[in-house]
Amino acid sequence: MARTALIVGASGIVGSAAAALLAGEGWRVAGLARNPPQQPGVEPVAADLLDPGSLGPALAGLAPDLVVFATWQRRATEAEMIRVNGAMVENLLAAVPPGPRHVALVTGLKHYLGPFEAYGQGALPQTPFREEQGRLPIDNFYYAQEDAVFAAAERDGFTWSVHRPHTVIGLAVGNAMNMGTTLACYATLCRETGRPFVFPGSAAQWAGLTDMTDARLLARQILWAATEPKAANRAFNVVNGDVFRWSWMWGRIADWFGIEPVPFDGTHRPLEPRMAGDGPAWAEIAARYGLAEPDLAKLASAWHTDADLGRPIEVVTDMSRSRRLGFTAYQPTDDAFFDLFARLRADRLIP
């Protein structure tokens, strides 16, 4: 019989990649959301994670072998982030029908860098970040989500894995954290309006080493952890396996779009204020080329790209824990960007 996966956040960057992989491997895939979209190979499950009464009836009879939790809700303060995002995990795992299963929780490098309110501040662990470095002495909704998984696993007897990607490259319209699509929109705007393709980040990011995570590789690690007994009950970093400098990558991205990169002159020029008024220009570009999405706000998340590219520290991630256990997948990051740009073009999201 086909194994069953329940994906929370199935239309997001991570969830959609996991859904595609699992469906391709013969799994029955269900996707939970308040208003689940139609996705090939995904059975929609309509429920509200903050309404426990809606979860039981929606999940009755599902009995998933694998639960992938790859969503979160943003709030104004970290205290509210903890309350809301912790409750979503608790409510879901209390409602999932019992049975043999694995729960994969997707968080990220804010485990090591701190939450939005204190991102990259204070005493941070040395890079490369390693799983055994543990938690920072500061409140973080990722920790609340982990604790909810650990408590439910102790209660119900399932195995778990935690997956900590760096910035994720993948396709998802409307996603709140989407650097790849944001840079594609920015490059398109520069090409179509004649504006210079200026790097929007810090000197540390321009010159320092960094890494990223292809959503497809993250999906492969989730499947591996769910089916490899040695991976049970562990947290894993997950990145592509290469490192790069933005001083090199910026020119590669510019070449793909047929524009000239502007050499970084040491001035930090965040993207959000420079794209704040670009909605009408994008709508005009969309009309001219017959694009599928004329609303720039549904494609670009400049605030998130600024947070990553504006960091004053080098960020490199260690993959030794999963490598030692046999997970050897690798993805060149420039190819991950180019694959995404080609998919955006094929879906008529960029010209």
Side-chain angles (χ1 to χ4, degrees), residues 103-121:
V103 174
L105 172 67
V106 179
T107 61
L109 293 195
K110 286 191 288 297
H111 182 93
Y112 310 104
L113 286 163
F116 289 118
E117 289 183 357
Y119 187 67
Q121 302 174 21

Side-chain angles (χ1 to χ4, degrees), residues 166-170 179-180 183 210-214 216-217 239-246 248-249 252-253 330-341:
H166 197 170
T167 305
V168 178
I169 302 171
M179 180 191 285
L183 293 180
T210 193
D211 47 31
M212 294 183 73
T213 306
D214 190 305
R216 298 167 299 181
L217 185 139
V239 287
N240 289 336
D242 63 350
V243 293
F244 65 92
R245 303 180 199 277
W246 279 104
W248 175 81
M249 187 67 76
R252 298 280 286 163
I253 292 174
Y330 169 79
Q331 170 64 60
T333 300
D334 52 341
D335 288 347
F337 273 123
F338 302 156
D339 288 351
L340 171 63
F341 299 157

